[in-house]
Amino acid sequence: MTTPALLPLSGRRIPTLSPGASSFPHHRATLRLSEKFILLLILSAFITLCFGAFFFLPDNSKHKRFDLGLEDVLIPHIDSPKEGKHASGQVVIHGQGGHDEHRHREEEESLRDKIRADHERALQEAKEKLRKSREELQAEIQTEKNKVMEDMKKKDTGPKPLPPVPMPKVVGVSDGEPPEPDAKEKRDKIREMMKHAWDSYRQYGWGHNELKPLAKKGHSTNIFGNSQLGATIVDALDTLYIMGLHEEFKDGQEWIEQNLDFGVNAEVSVFEVNIRFIGGLLAAYYLSGQEVFKLKAVQLAEKLLPAFNTPTGIPWAMVNLKSGVGRNWGWASAGSSILAEFGTLHMEFVHLTYLTGNPAYYQKVMHIRKLLAKMDRPNGLYPNYLNPRTGRWGQHHTSVGGLGDSFYEYLLKAWLMSDKTDTEARKTYDDAIEAIERHLIRKSNGGLTFIGEWKNGHLERKMGHLACFAGGMFALGADGSPDDKAGHYLQLGAEIAHTCHESYDRTVLKLGPEAFKFDSGLEAVAVRQNEKYYILRPEVIETYWYMWRFTHDPKYRQWGWEAAQAIDKYCRVSGGFSGVKDVYSSNPTYDDVQQSFFLAETLKYLYLLFSSDDLMPLESWVFNTEAHPLPVLHLGNITLPGSEPAQR
């Protein structure tokens, strides 16, 4: 057989066979012989080492002992009769004559005997190895390879110890049973819906990111890359805990401990992974006190940091968890990053710095805030697109719905979460809301208050379902408003809640469309077919809950119950809950997706709506944009690493 020549290819060397040679058998034979040769080489080296140690052992008559205990050499005992001082002040150890030499010879002989025994054992092991078949040798080699790889993996991905920090005061994380019997009955129904959604996912989609409830199998989207990261498990944990579903919570925790791995070759959305995974893990940690959630959150956060490696520090929309390579969505204006995405990191990243002592997280989100503060804003509005390479705005499109929404939400919540010490965030929020009210908020001919979208100098009289969260935001930010406007913003929140309820009430299914218009005689109604769907979204119910907390007007519970009944009637299937494609059709078709945010947000807000106010009190908790509660950091005079001292 012709000997294969070795040719370089991209820095590596590969065998090339002569024409007509069979590559597969040749490769297998070469592999077996080379492995056996390597094994014999290792054994012979070990035997040589043993003989070397035996024959070249140092002679005690010529050399000092090499096995004195450290305590004999390094720790002087001044009062000991065996020690004294030279005039130079050095501590010396006095010998004990023949007695010491006799003891040394005995120890030396004992060491020689041990080396001989080790040598004999090595020879015996070598003989046993040579008696084994090729298959047995290959199996042993593979086992050793696997062990080395496993050890390396543990070394690379093992959790790093985190500095101890005081646990924020955790209050009102369970119970909250309402005094009203009818509210309790409705709350029990919401818990049953959560059980159905979770149990269906547990049975048909466990470990997958989401569930296809009709097909009864796992589902995923490009925001999670190509990996099974158990998004529904992480997203649902805190809802399970708050509802008292502790067995289900334990199942989720066990999956996370055993299976949640972020060292995967997957390109994920920085925004979605932050709000769902990091937010969900941090909330689970604060609610339960289980360290695994904190450690996993920090591991993931480290994987997201390379996304900030841009000329401006504005992060890419997506990052590969393994390589750290980032990029933006292909559809975003001129390769831009999106306001709602890079502007919705503050809450989670501040908590990461608090828990780890690593200032990088806090500094990165504060850098974004400072960069935005220096930029010109058309009409005081923030466009939805910003190029991370040039630092310039993209298309001048401003929205409080998709692409912009949670940026404004996090300005307010940064202030609330800081125990109202982050006055810069509050001022930025107030200025932004003033510009939004001046340019985007209008009343329809029928008297409905809505939030339009600004596109290149023109107001589009359309409001998205996502923008319906703003009613709750206005109510949440009412206290602390400038110029005694608290009553005004609470009223504005109520008007938005009413408009969004109308968008539900004017459909056949009593579920709201994705977007609705206010022109051509149509108000709060979807016009295009691709805007008539409902995908289990929470924003309207979120606003109902905030309005209930601040006003206790019974209509908000009534509206929430209407939505819950409609979801249970039209979205429930045997394998979970599904979105519907047309809320104006009496025979709706399903999209066959049970979104993870349905368990994280929609059902949680419904449950809180029918609970007493001492469950998750707003004085102690701030909910991230995925409804994951994070505690208010009562830092007082404590300063976060890398931050400026807090000022009230």
Side-chain angles (χ1 to χ4, degrees):
M1 185 178 288
T2 306
T3 304
L6 292 174
L7 300 174
L9 178 65
S10 300
R12 299 177 64 188
R13 298 173 73 85
I14 59 169
T16 58
L17 302 176
S18 59
S22 173
S23 63
F24 184 67
H26 173 79
H27 174 69
R28 288 180 62 192
T30 305
L31 185 65
R32 288 175 178 170
L33 289 172
S34 63
E35 287 181 345
K36 191 169 183 179
F37 175 74
I38 291 168
L39 188 63
L40 288 171
L41 195 63
I42 293 169
L43 288 170
S44 63
F46 181 69
I47 292 166
T48 303
L49 183 64
C50 290
F51 274 111
F54 181 82
F55 286 112
F56 297 104
L57 197 67
D59 187 339
N60 183 61
S61 64
K62 298 178 183 176
H63 300 279
K64 298 282 187 184
R65 281 179 63 209
F66 55 83
D67 62 339
L68 281 170
L70 283 175
E71 68 276 9
D72 294 330
V73 179
L74 299 179
I75 306 175
H77 302 282
I78 303 301
D79 298 329
S80 169
K82 300 176 185 176
E83 298 176 356
K85 273 194 176 182
H86 282 302
S88 64
Q90 292 178 319
V91 177
V92 297
I93 302 176
H94 295 297
Q96 299 183 47
H99 176 73
D100 273 358
E101 288 180 8
H102 177 69
R103 182 162 60 88
H104 295 169
R105 280 196 297 272
E106 286 181 348
E107 290 174 351
E108 212 169 80
E109 189 60 36
S110 172
L111 184 59
R112 289 173 187 269
D113 290 342
K114 183 178 183 302
I115 291 174
R116 286 191 194 98
D118 289 343
H119 178 213
E120 291 294 329
R121 187 166 57 252
L123 285 174
Q124 186 61 34
E125 287 178 0
K127 290 176 183 177
E128 290 175 2
K129 293 282 185 191
L130 293 174
R131 290 192 195 106
K132 293 186 177 183
S133 68
R134 289 172 178 172
E135 287 74 14
E136 288 174 315
L137 286 171
Q138 279 184 327
E140 286 191 11
I141 291 169
Q142 189 59 48
T143 300
E144 286 302 313
K145 282 181 181 177
N146 291 341
K147 185 176 182 300
V148 170
M149 289 177 66
E150 203 54 41
D151 290 343
M152 289 177 66
K153 185 177 178 183
K154 286 178 183 175
K155 185 177 180 182
D156 290 341
T157 61
K160 299 174 184 176
L162 297 175
V165 294
M167 186 77 162
K169 188 178 180 183
V170 174
V171 296
V173 300
S174 60
D175 194 21
E177 185 170 312
E180 308 89 350
D182 64 322
K184 181 183 183 305
E185 186 179 329
K186 290 168 182 172
R187 192 174 85 140
D188 289 343
K189 173 61 180 176
I190 304 302
R191 187 192 286 112
E192 184 278 326
M193 291 169 68
M194 179 68 182
K195 273 277 291 173
H196 178 62
W198 175 264
D199 290 345
S200 298
Y201 170 78
R202 182 77 175 81
Q203 183 174 357
Y204 304 118
W206 192 241
H208 289 266
N209 289 317
E210 292 173 320
L211 170 68
K212 294 178 77 68
L214 274 75
K216 295 183 177 177
K217 63 181 184 180
H219 170 75
S220 191
T221 62
N222 63 342
I223 61 174
F224 304 120
N226 54 3
S227 293
Q228 295 183 22
L229 296 174
T232 294
I233 299 174
V234 180
D235 234 0
L237 277 173
D238 53 5
T239 306
L240 294 169
Y241 193 93
I242 290 167
M243 290 186 177
L245 297 171
H246 295 301
E247 285 301 314
E248 291 80 357
F249 179 88
K250 186 179 177 184
D251 286 345
Q253 179 178 339
E254 287 177 359
W255 186 90
I256 285 169
E257 288 175 334
Q258 297 167 13
N259 300 288
L260 187 55
D261 177 19
F262 301 120
V264 291
N265 184 21
E267 190 180 52
V268 301
S269 162
V270 173
F271 162 74
E272 296 286 356
V273 164
N274 176 62
I275 66 172
R276 301 193 200 207
F277 282 81
I278 293 180
L281 290 166
L282 290 177
Y285 165 67
Y286 283 121
L287 290 170
S288 70
Q290 297 296 313
E291 289 283 319
V292 62
F293 300 127
K294 176 171 70 174
L295 295 174
K296 291 287 185 181
V298 173
Q299 286 175 16
L300 176 55
E302 289 174 354
K303 298 285 188 180
L304 297 187
L305 287 179
F308 292 81
N309 295 336
T310 66
T312 60
I314 297 293
W316 300 113
M318 290 174 288
V319 69
N320 186 295
L321 293 177
K322 193 174 188 70
S323 69
V325 174
R327 70 181 178 94
N328 275 340
W329 303 109
W331 50 263
S333 172
S336 291
S337 298
I338 296 164
L339 182 69
E341 296 194 341
F342 65 76
T344 309
L345 303 165
H346 188 98
M347 289 180 65
E348 297 81 4
F349 274 44
V350 166
H351 272 276
L352 287 167
T353 285
Y354 174 71
L355 292 172
T356 65
N358 182 357
Y361 303 108
Y362 178 84
Q363 288 170 347
K364 288 188 184 304
V365 292
M366 290 304 294
H367 174 78
I368 293 171
R369 186 192 291 180
K370 287 179 169 58
L371 186 146
L372 291 176
K374 294 175 183 175
M375 296 185 66
D376 291 330
R377 293 181 294 281
N379 295 320
L381 299 170
Y382 290 86
N384 291 335
Y385 300 105
L386 180 62
N387 191 301
R389 290 190 178 92
T390 65
R392 297 192 182 96
W393 296 118
Q395 176 189 359
H396 284 189
H397 173 208
T398 298
S399 170
V400 184
L403 307 179
D405 48 8
S406 46
F407 165 72
Y408 307 101
E409 175 187 359
Y410 268 39
L411 290 174
L412 172 64
K413 290 181 175 179
W415 175 69
L416 291 168
M417 200 180 72
S418 71
D419 195 19
K420 302 181 179 179
T421 60
D422 188 354
T423 52
E424 180 183 75
R426 177 75 213 208
K427 177 69 163 59
T428 307
Y429 168 79
D430 289 331
D431 291 346
I433 295 307
E434 183 182 340
I436 285 168
E437 191 168 7
R438 185 183 306 117
H439 297 287
L440 305 185
I441 296 180
R442 297 288 184 270
K443 259 195 172 27
S444 71
N445 293 334
L448 296 178
T449 301
F450 67 95
I451 310 174
E453 298 188 10
W454 191 266
K455 285 190 176 180
N456 295 317
H458 170 71
L459 181 68
E460 188 175 6
R461 297 171 66 86
K462 179 178 80 171
M463 185 169 176
H465 192 290
L466 288 166
C468 285
F469 92 96
M473 178 179 71
F474 293 143
L476 184 63
D479 185 25
S481 297
D483 306 322
D484 298 322
K485 284 188 174 181
H488 167 73
Y489 283 113
L490 192 60
Q491 176 61 29
L492 182 58
E495 291 176 13
I496 297 297
H498 173 66
T499 298
C500 293
H501 174 255
E502 286 297 310
S503 78
Y504 274 52
D505 203 43
R506 298 180 186 193
T507 70
V508 172
L509 304 186
K510 304 303 177 186
L511 292 169
E514 181 69 5
F516 41 95
K517 292 203 170 184
F518 295 87
D519 55 14
S520 304
L522 294 174
E523 297 194 354
V525 174
V527 177
R528 297 178 181 175
Q529 189 61 41
N530 64 359
E531 294 174 341
K532 294 181 179 181
Y533 61 85
Y534 173 71
I535 55 172
L536 307 171
R537 286 205 188 276
E539 289 78 19
V540 174
I541 295 164
E542 175 184 355
T543 279
Y544 293 164
W545 174 59
Y546 279 112
M547 292 307 303
W548 164 257
R549 278 285 174 101
F550 290 113
T551 70
H552 287 114
D553 188 327
K555 72 183 178 188
Y556 297 115
R557 276 186 167 173
Q558 179 58 37
W559 291 352
W561 183 239
E562 288 172 6
Q565 286 179 302
I567 291 168
D568 198 52
K569 183 175 181 179
Y570 296 111
C571 300
R572 185 177 187 134
V573 296
S574 63
F577 289 86
S578 170
V580 292
K581 294 182 179 179
D582 189 346
V583 292
Y584 299 97
S585 170
S586 55
N587 295 306
T589 54
Y590 298 106
D591 66 9
D592 197 19
V593 180
Q594 180 176 282
Q595 306 277 352
S596 79
F597 57 67
F598 177 64
L599 293 82
E601 301 185 74
T602 311
L603 292 174
K604 183 187 286 133
Y605 284 131
L606 281 169
Y607 186 80
L608 291 171
L609 181 60
F610 296 106
S611 299
S612 63
D613 290 2
D614 57 9
L615 180 61
M616 310 307 297
L618 292 175
E619 298 78 23
S620 302
W621 296 93
V622 183
F623 288 74
N624 88 337
T625 198
E626 189 79 358
H628 295 309
L630 299 176
V632 171
L633 292 174
H634 299 283
L635 297 176
N637 294 324
I638 301 173
T639 302
L640 287 171
S643 71
E644 298 296 325
Q647 294 182 356
R648 290 185 179 272

